[in-house]
Amino acid sequence: MNNSNNKKKSYVIPGFRLSFGIVTGFLGLFVVIPLCVLALYSLELSFDEFIANVTSPRVFASYRTSISTAFTASLVNAVMGLMIAWVLVRYRFPGKRLMDGMIELPFALPTAVAGIALTHLTVTEGWIGRIFAKFGVSVAYTRIGITIALIFIGIPFVVRSVQPVLEKLEPEFEEAAATLGASPAYTFFHVILPEIFPSLFAGFSMAFARCIGEYGSVVFIAGNTPYETEITPLIIMAKLQEFDYASATSIALVMLLLSFFILFVNAIVQIRAAKLT
Amino acid sequence: MKIRNDSGPVKWVLIGISALFLFVMLILPLVYVVFTALRDGLDSYAKAVTDPYALKAIGLTVKVTVITVLVNSAFGLFAAWLLTRYSFRGKGVLAALTDLPLSISPIIAGLVFLLMFGRQSFLYPFLDANNIRIVFAQPGIVLATIFVTLPFISRELIPVLNAVGTEEEEAAALMGAKGFYIFTQITFPHIRWAFFYGVVLCAARAMGEFGAVSVLSGHLNGLTNTMPLYIELLYQGFDFTGAFAMSSILIVMAVLILILRNILEYRGKKELEI
Amino acid sequence: MSGQADTYVELKHINKNFKNFVAGDDITFAVEKGKLVGLLGPSGSGKTTILRILAGLEPADSGEIFIAGREVSHVPASRRGIGFVFQNYALFRYRNVFDNIAFGLKVNHWKKQDIRDRVNELMELVGLTGLEDRYPKQLSGGQRQRVAFARALAVEPQLLLLDEPFAAIDAKVRKELRLWLRELISRVGITSIFVTHDQEEAVEMADEIIIINRGKIEQIGTPAEVYENPRTPFVQDFLS
């Protein structure tokens, strides 16, 4: 019993009813009822209409654009985020505090500002776009542009989820592998990576979920060409502007299910990882 | 894992790639915005940010941010307290619901309130009869912003409250202290830095929210345009100097927020060592 | 109602189950007024839970608790007239020594001057005079224990409960502190129950020992009795 005192929840601390009432009331009004309304509203369509809505070619193309760009961006962020977390935890170098301090910039900077700035940088005459143009690659108004905007949005997720885990990793761990004759690369891939994989995956899926729903930073850089660079949130927005609420709602429902699916997969990965330790 | 003092080529290659990546992705856009905003001289910059519509947009953004932070502070404190101080059935569900807005697209967040209070809603006749306008008006903007930033404060508080444990509060309750007194006198000192950090994050997102607000605003210039929406309007009208000038204000805010964040995080870590 | 006139605390058939763990199985015992009783058992035996149930920090699944002849199962912890010393003392880290000790008096609306007098009296009692302005992190383990003790006694409780009072103390000074605490408790004359997993500590401090294993009482008696006549194999094994 000695160790469980801190974990054990007490029933003497006053305020349970008040906080329970406020929290459930608030969540009910702000989260549960709105989402139920969304589900109910989509019931106004018949099943066939619903399917026709969410699988029309243009909508279907938008899923492909959204998922492929969000997935690529999150993959890039998984690699870069892991590297940045590694550098921040492992090495001492000038400017380290600055580097650590700016990771959250995408949380602090309004997405629309990031969107227009990245667009202007990557058009063919922009500071970055010029370089790519030499190789005949255009960035802005293509899927590459969307991916870059999403990379910007997702940077903090992987770094901040891997960093604390790396910090807690005991050095003996690696030293043990080294004394057994493992090369640094072997140690990294076979000893360290499995340890941090759950946090890496958590960061990846948070970034992925966020990127799929992202609107503000993407809408400027995407160019929004139907079938090519039109993301799903933009389709919903367009339907709303045409007052076609039924279609908007059914597409939103599909997106919502997709987010839940990502959350679900991540939960399974985390539970399995917790069981192994 | 300890800091290693090895200085092999791998170290500098990794640092170099990381620094280059962050420079291009994070610093360059900021520099670019400020550069473009000032390109036409300080006069046109000043003119752009003191335009009456610009001022209205700034005012609305401040208003929305303040209301959102107040509401979410109250919710965040209660939710974190509830989820760390008591055990009860359904706690996992409440925790999941609290975090849910993080994984919902802002567009969908806007859409749900549009469906709830818009013209096709069953509530609309009632709202209309009482002359309450929510959709395409300021209340809708506030609602959507609150939804999008709902978990920001509780997420910062929960790990700290769990780490502190419940014994101090139990001791206080045993001596007969009431809930509010315990919270303000005993609990709050432990969580103040995390709380302020949450407030800062919440304010940052509230200020910059675009998608959700975009759905519900109706884009009435001077009335329901927040700063990000006003920037979009300028940008689409090819007034790039204006758009970047307004953006530069938000960039200054973002940098201030980052500095604050680092101070608060440092303070919090220092006090945890007690 | 309790039978004997000098019985101060009585637990009757207390049961408590956690998810996969029995913390209390038909716990029944009585403590006489003014006695110092030790709840002794290995970790995980349920002794801390019994103390917490008695204090009102935890509800029992069933059973009755009497303090001073009054059934208190539904009396809130703050009205049971007890002082509680937590295992890690649970000192308020953001309040100084004075405010820690004065806390219970303040919430019970004592007058300022009375609070000052009472705190000074307690500071003197536990030998901490002069350290009023220190914060818990600036104190040694032993000093923290003294503050926790003074804080628990401040509101003049009739019953003092101590959860592993020496767990957070350096082994070297433990022995010395035991005698000090025992002496102090008898000077204050308060009925006290403490929880420990250390046989030596229990024998040295307690008037009476209650040995608990897996949520069940194995034996009750004076230190001499349980040593000389261990009633179960567990007691024999645990004390040897």
Side-chain angles (χ1 to χ4, degrees):
Chain A
M1 293 312 309
N2 297 332
N3 302 327
S4 56
N5 268 347
N6 282 341
K7 284 176 212 152
K8 205 187 300 160
K9 300 300 181 327
S10 162
Y11 96 123
V12 283
I13 299 174
F16 174 71
R17 280 187 188 191
L18 178 70
S19 32
F20 186 80
I22 288 180
V23 172
T24 46
F26 203 90
L27 285 175
L29 281 176
F30 270 87
V31 181
V32 179
I33 294 179
L35 290 180
C36 288
V37 168
L38 183 76
L40 279 178
Y41 199 84
S42 64
L43 288 181
E44 288 193 1
L45 291 174
S46 75
F47 184 73
D48 290 341
E49 283 171 317
F50 178 86
I51 294 296
N53 252 324
V54 300
T55 56
S56 82
R58 190 166 157 188
V59 173
F60 208 79
S62 83
Y63 299 149
R64 279 183 42 197
T65 309
S66 271
I67 293 175
S68 65
T69 52
F71 189 81
T72 316
S74 308
L75 220 52
V76 171
N77 270 329
V79 174
M80 288 314 299
L82 179 59
M83 189 191 293
I84 293 167
W86 177 266
V87 161
L88 286 175
V89 172
R90 280 288 289 261
Y91 303 133
R92 208 192 303 267
F93 57 94
K96 175 171 158 165
R97 267 201 63 78
L98 185 69
M99 192 192 265
D100 194 27
M102 70 168 125
I103 300 295
E104 263 90 3
L105 183 73
F107 287 163
L109 190 70
T111 50
V113 174
I116 60 173
L118 287 172
T119 310
H120 270 225
L121 280 171
T122 54
V123 290
T124 32
E125 59 275 18
W127 294 357
I128 296 175
R130 224 177 290 167
I131 304 169
F132 281 89
K134 279 187 189 148
F135 302 97
V137 179
S138 28
V139 178
Y141 315 126
T142 67
R143 286 190 187 178
I144 303 173
I146 300 177
T147 311
I148 284 182
L150 293 179
I151 291 173
F152 172 86
I153 293 301
I155 290 172
F157 289 99
V158 174
V159 181
R160 289 306 187 223
S161 120
V162 172
Q163 203 177 0
V165 182
L166 265 183
E167 261 161 14
K168 276 189 204 128
L169 214 61
E170 296 294 333
E172 288 102 61
F173 215 58
E174 265 173 275
E175 285 158 11
T179 56
L180 296 170
S183 70
Y186 186 90
T187 309
F188 178 80
F189 285 106
H190 290 87
V191 179
I192 297 174
L193 199 58
E195 281 294 311
I196 56 176
F197 181 75
S199 64
L200 184 62
F201 193 83
F204 170 82
S205 44
M206 276 188 289
F208 190 40
R210 169 79 205 263
C211 285
I212 282 192
E214 177 56 23
Y215 176 76
S217 60
V218 178
V219 60
F220 297 100
I221 205 169
N224 311 328
T225 316
Y227 300 99
E228 280 300 319
T229 57
E230 198 173 41
I231 54 167
T232 313
L234 196 87
I235 294 233
I236 299 178
M237 197 67 180
K239 298 276 183 200
L240 286 176
Q241 274 157 0
E242 297 158 11
F243 298 102
D244 183 358
Y245 288 177
S247 305
T249 309
S250 28
I251 300 166
L253 207 62
V254 172
M255 279 191 72
L256 212 53
L257 292 178
L258 186 60
S259 323
F260 288 161
F261 178 71
I262 297 169
L263 286 184
F264 179 71
V265 171
N266 182 40
I268 288 179
V269 169
Q270 301 306 324
I271 289 168
R272 288 191 58 172
K275 268 189 190 153
L276 285 174
T277 48
Chain B
M1 185 178 284
K2 293 276 154 55
I3 287 182
R4 286 266 191 106
N5 283 322
D6 52 12
S7 52
V10 178
K11 169 182 170 179
W12 293 107
V13 168
L14 292 181
I15 293 175
I17 296 174
S18 301
L20 184 69
F21 175 77
L22 291 176
F23 176 78
V24 172
M25 292 305 300
L26 300 181
I27 307 284
L28 209 56
L30 298 196
V31 174
Y32 183 81
V33 169
V34 177
F35 176 82
T36 315
L38 296 171
R39 195 169 43 190
D40 294 347
L42 276 174
D43 284 348
S44 45
Y45 179 86
K47 221 175 107 196
V49 298
T50 53
D51 182 279
Y53 285 123
L55 293 176
K56 283 253 169 88
I58 295 172
L60 178 60
T61 296
V62 170
K63 187 166 141 191
V64 171
T65 305
V66 169
I67 298 175
T68 303
V69 165
L70 287 178
V71 173
N72 278 341
S73 296
F75 173 76
L77 288 170
F78 274 110
W81 176 267
L82 181 72
L83 296 174
T84 58
R85 262 46 191 156
Y86 312 102
S87 67
F88 53 94
R89 212 177 284 183
K91 186 164 144 175
V93 176
L94 284 192
L97 282 176
T98 307
D99 276 348
L100 196 59
L102 284 182
S103 26
I104 289 181
S105 171
I107 295 293
I108 298 179
L111 170 65
V112 293
F113 289 106
L114 190 63
L115 294 177
M116 253 177 97
F117 299 113
R119 201 169 279 277
Q120 74 302 319
S121 159
F122 66 97
L123 287 172
Y124 189 76
F126 169 79
L127 295 173
D128 197 38
N130 290 288
N131 227 347
I132 304 170
R133 291 191 48 85
I134 294 178
V135 164
F136 306 138
Q138 295 184 1
I141 297 175
V142 173
L143 280 177
T145 312
I146 291 175
F147 179 91
V148 171
T149 55
L150 194 65
F152 277 46
I153 291 172
S154 61
R155 273 170 70 86
E156 298 307 319
L157 297 180
I158 286 172
V160 182
L161 280 171
N162 274 330
V164 170
T166 59
E167 279 199 344
E168 284 183 44
E169 285 127 6
E170 285 179 355
L174 264 180
M175 288 185 262
K178 297 278 185 301
F180 183 71
Y181 191 77
I182 296 177
F183 176 75
T184 53
Q185 302 295 311
I186 305 300
T187 312
F188 192 71
H190 285 292
I191 56 170
R192 56 189 159 178
W193 301 117
F195 173 69
F196 294 140
Y197 177 35
V199 165
V200 165
L201 278 181
C202 179
R205 181 69 194 267
M207 234 165 45
E209 179 48 37
F210 182 76
V213 167
S214 187
V215 173
L216 285 166
S217 135
H219 306 273
L220 304 168
N221 207 7
L223 256 187
T224 61
N225 261 353
T226 60
M227 284 174 83
L229 296 177
Y230 182 67
I231 291 170
E232 183 196 22
L233 188 80
L234 292 175
Y235 186 84
Q236 282 167 348
F238 300 104
D239 178 0
F240 295 138
T241 309
F244 283 104
M246 288 299 277
S247 296
S248 70
I249 297 178
L250 288 169
I251 283 181
V252 171
M253 293 302 292
V255 172
L256 283 179
I257 281 165
L258 279 187
I259 293 171
L260 250 178
R261 186 205 95 82
N262 281 288
I263 294 173
L264 292 173
E265 200 198 15
Y266 176 73
R267 290 282 198 125
K269 266 190 188 159
K270 228 173 129 187
E271 293 212 357
L272 267 187
E273 287 160 14
I274 290 177
Chain C
M1 281 298 292
S2 68
Q4 290 148 305
D6 56 351
T7 295
Y8 192 71
V9 177
E10 199 170 4
L11 268 67
K12 285 184 176 169
H13 312 296
I14 295 290
N15 287 293
K16 175 78 181 178
N17 289 291
F18 289 110
K19 237 179 210 161
N20 36 30
F21 161 75
V22 180
D25 182 359
D26 198 28
I27 296 287
T28 300
F29 66 82
V31 176
E32 281 174 38
K33 198 169 174 66
K35 282 273 157 66
L36 174 56
V37 172
L39 287 178
L40 174 65
S43 58
S45 60
K47 55 195 190 307
T48 293
T49 306
I50 294 166
L51 199 73
R52 288 173 64 90
I53 289 171
L54 179 51
L57 289 168
E58 201 90 48
D61 297 340
S62 63
E64 292 172 300
I65 305 162
F66 294 91
I67 297 176
R70 184 168 65 128
E71 215 288 311
V72 295
S73 298
H74 299 290
V75 175
S78 55
R79 305 246 177 83
R80 293 189 184 186
I82 49 156
F84 198 98
V85 176
F86 287 82
Q87 186 176 340
N88 297 307
Y89 309 134
L91 295 183
F92 305 137
R93 276 167 274 184
Y94 287 93
R95 325 219 98 197
N96 63 20
V97 170
F98 184 95
D99 286 343
N100 260 285
I101 298 174
F103 189 88
L105 307 173
K106 261 186 207 155
V107 299
N108 285 299
H109 311 292
W110 280 40
K111 287 205 197 83
K112 263 208 170 139
Q113 190 52 47
D114 294 347
I115 293 178
R116 190 155 289 281
D117 293 345
R118 178 72 179 142
V119 173
N120 286 338
E121 184 190 334
L122 286 160
M123 293 288 286
E124 204 171 309
L125 178 75
V126 298
L128 286 175
T129 309
L131 299 181
E132 287 85 353
D133 296 333
R134 295 270 187 98
Y135 283 85
K137 65 173 170 176
Q138 299 166 314
L139 299 175
S140 72
Q143 288 170 327
R144 284 181 204 175
Q145 190 198 37
R146 288 165 190 234
V147 177
F149 191 74
R151 186 177 73 176
L153 288 179
V155 287
E156 294 171 338
Q158 297 302 304
L159 174 63
L160 183 65
L161 304 176
L162 306 105
D163 185 8
E164 296 273 6
F166 301 100
I169 297 220
D170 219 30
K172 272 182 265 172
V173 285
R174 237 180 247 176
K175 217 163 174 153
E176 196 183 314
L177 278 172
R178 274 182 211 155
L179 295 173
W180 172 82
L181 189 61
R182 193 194 147 93
E183 206 256 322
L184 197 65
I185 287 173
S186 70
R187 184 147 34 115
V188 179
I190 185 171
T191 313
S192 305
I193 301 174
F194 70 98
V195 156
T196 181
H197 63 277
D198 183 341
Q199 310 88 305
E200 205 187 305
E201 193 174 299
V203 168
E204 210 168 294
M205 287 187 56
D207 299 321
E208 199 169 50
I209 297 178
I210 298 170
I211 297 169
I212 294 173
N213 183 36
R214 295 168 187 260
K216 267 198 156 113
I217 295 184
E218 297 272 338
Q219 188 169 359
I220 304 181
T222 63
E225 279 168 16
V226 295
Y227 254 95
E228 280 155 26
N229 293 310
R231 210 181 300 147
T232 65
F234 171 80
V235 175
Q236 182 155 27
D237 197 44
F238 189 62
L239 292 181
S240 61

